[in-house]
Amino acid sequence: VAMYPNTTNGAEAGQVESSNGPEIKTLDFDKDSDENAQFAIAFPKSWNEGTITFQAFFTANSTNTGTTAWALQGVALADNGDLNTAFGTAVLPTAKAMSGTANDLAVTAESGAVTIAGSPGDDEYVFFQIMRDVSEDTLTADARLLGVKLFFTTDAANDA
C-alpha cells in the first residue's frame, strides 16, 4: 500500500475482495503497455550501500497461465539532492508463469543485482520504480502487483 502509480503510464489502483481471506490492495498493470509504479524507503545505516535484489508478489484475476515480467530500478538521494535524478538501470528476474487459477499468489524468482543510481550512503532516501515489461511476458490479463521484497547486505550488526 506504500506504492503509488506513476502519473504518466501508471498502473491503476485496485482491490481484491475475497469471500474468506484478506481484502488486498493492488496495483493493476495493463497487458498492452508498460506501466509503472513507485515507492521509496530509507535503508538502515547497517546497509552496505551495495546492490540489492528483489522478488515481486502478484496475482491475476485470470485462468491464463502466461508469464509476467517485473523490472525494478532505483536512485538514492542525500540531503539537498536533486529530486530530478534519473533511476538506475532496470533489472528483471525471469518472467513468472501464473498457475491457471484466478487470484492465486505468484512470486517471482529473486532478481539479479540492481544497482541503485546516485551515490547511496547513510541517511539517504531511495526511490524505486517497478514496471511490468509486457515485451518480456505473455499474460493476457492485468497483472495485479501486491508487493515487493527487497534483499540487501548489511555490514554492521546494528545502526548505532
Side-chain angles (χ1 to χ4, degrees):
V1 296
M3 291 186 242
Y4 48 91
N6 286 28
T7 301
T8 302
N9 298 328
E12 183 178 331
Q15 192 158 317
V16 176
E17 181 179 9
S18 59
S19 59
N20 293 315
E23 191 158 317
I24 301 168
K25 301 285 185 187
T26 66
L27 286 173
D28 299 347
F29 289 74
D30 190 70
K31 66 180 177 58
D32 297 318
S33 62
D34 294 343
E35 292 183 331
N36 302 278
Q38 296 185 15
F39 62 97
I41 63 169
F43 279 95
K45 289 180 183 178
S46 58
W47 173 42
N48 74 349
E49 293 95 25
T51 60
I52 61 131
T53 58
F54 78 98
Q55 287 179 297
F57 294 76
F58 64 102
T59 191
N61 187 14
S62 169
T63 58
N64 184 295
T65 57
T67 60
T68 304
W70 300 102
L72 185 72
Q73 56 192 152
V75 61
L77 297 172
D79 185 29
N80 296 318
D82 182 359
L83 289 168
N84 193 25
T85 301
F87 287 99
T89 302
V91 173
L92 62 150
T94 302
K96 167 70 176 173
M98 291 301 300
S99 68
T101 301
N103 295 315
D104 267 6
L105 177 65
V107 182
T108 66
E110 188 174 344
S111 73
V114 177
T115 300
I116 297 171
S119 299
D122 289 348
D123 299 323
E124 294 198 9
Y125 204 46
V126 182
F127 293 88
F128 289 97
Q129 179 167 263
I130 189 160
M131 173 187 77
R132 178 180 178 186
D133 187 348
V134 297
S135 68
E136 297 291 329
D137 76 28
T138 61
L139 182 69
T140 58
D142 282 0
R144 305 180 102 179
L145 185 65
L146 306 175
V148 174
K149 181 194 284 187
L150 298 177
F151 299 90
F152 60 93
T153 302
T154 59
D155 58 7
N158 58 51
D159 286 349

